[in-house]
Amino acid sequence: MLDIKQVLPNVSEKKIDDHKGNTPYGILIELSKAVNEKYNKKLFANVVESYKLKKDGKGGDRENLVFAFYFIAPIAKGYLYRLLEIEQIAGSVYPVKLTVYENNPVSKGIFKQFDGFLEALTDFMQSAFVETLIINLMTQVELYEESRTLKYPFE
C-alpha cells in the first residue's frame, strides 16, 4: 500500500525560517519586536490579522488576508494607533497592497515583490509623520506617568 505522505514535498524548518523574513507578515512581526525593544516600555507595537471580503470578478467573493500594524501607548487602559495595513491580494504572499494611516487611509501601492514592498515600508517608517507620531505618543505616555505620581496638597 502507498504511504500517501510520500507524495508530499519535504520542507525543512530552515526553508521555512528563511522564507519568513521575506514575507510582509514576517517583516511586520520583526518591526513590532524592534519597536517593543527600542522604546523602553513607553511605546509598543502589535500585528493583528483579519480578513476583507472582496468581489472576485466572477460573481463570487473571496477573503483577502489583512495584517494591521498598531502602535500601543500605555496610557490609561492602552491607546491604539493603526499605523498601516498589508492586504494579501491573491491568496499568496505577494502581491500585497500597502495602506498607511496618516490622517486618512492612503494606498502606497500594490507590490508584487519583496524589494518594492520593503522600500515603500522603509520610506514610510522613516517619514516625518511617523517620527512625529512616535514623539507625540511617547510624550503622552510620560505625561500620563507623571500625572499618576503627582501629590496633591489636599492628600
Side-chain angles (χ1 to χ4, degrees):
M1 175 168 211
L2 174 66
D3 179 7
I4 198 67
K5 290 185 280 187
Q6 290 179 350
V7 300
L8 298 172
N10 291 323
V11 179
S12 70
E13 287 298 318
K14 181 175 178 353
K15 285 183 181 179
I16 293 170
D17 286 343
D18 291 346
H19 188 66
K20 281 184 205 176
N22 293 329
T23 67
Y25 182 50
I27 294 296
L28 290 187
I29 293 296
E30 290 304 312
L31 185 59
S32 178
K33 289 178 186 176
V35 167
N36 295 342
E37 291 173 14
K38 185 169 186 169
Y39 296 115
N40 198 26
K41 299 189 180 183
K42 298 215 184 297
L43 187 65
F44 300 92
N46 195 18
V47 180
V48 177
E49 305 87 15
S50 63
Y51 292 92
K52 281 188 181 177
L53 195 59
K54 299 286 185 167
K55 297 292 181 193
D56 67 5
K58 300 174 187 173
D61 296 324
R62 72 170 192 266
E63 290 183 330
N64 287 352
L65 189 55
V66 176
F67 303 105
F69 183 87
Y70 288 87
F71 278 146
I72 305 166
I75 303 168
K77 293 184 179 181
Y79 174 80
L80 297 175
Y81 186 93
R82 185 180 192 133
L83 186 63
L84 61 90
E85 75 178 23
I86 299 166
E87 180 178 349
Q88 291 183 337
I89 297 181
S92 60
V93 175
Y94 290 98
V96 294
K97 178 181 178 184
L98 174 61
T99 302
V100 300
Y101 291 82
E102 293 175 324
N103 291 315
N104 297 303
V106 176
S107 175
K108 291 294 186 180
I110 295 174
F111 302 93
K112 295 180 180 179
Q113 296 178 345
F114 173 76
D115 292 337
F117 163 73
L118 186 59
E119 182 179 337
L121 179 65
T122 301
D123 288 347
F124 176 66
M125 291 304 295
Q126 293 179 350
S127 70
F129 172 80
V130 173
E131 180 180 9
T132 301
L133 177 63
I134 290 171
I135 291 168
N136 288 341
L137 289 172
M138 290 178 69
T139 299
Q140 292 297 319
V141 169
E142 287 192 12
L143 289 169
Y144 177 75
E145 289 173 351
E146 288 173 13
S147 75
R148 306 303 281 172
T149 60
L150 285 177
K151 298 291 183 200
Y152 295 98
F154 50 82
E155 289 184 278

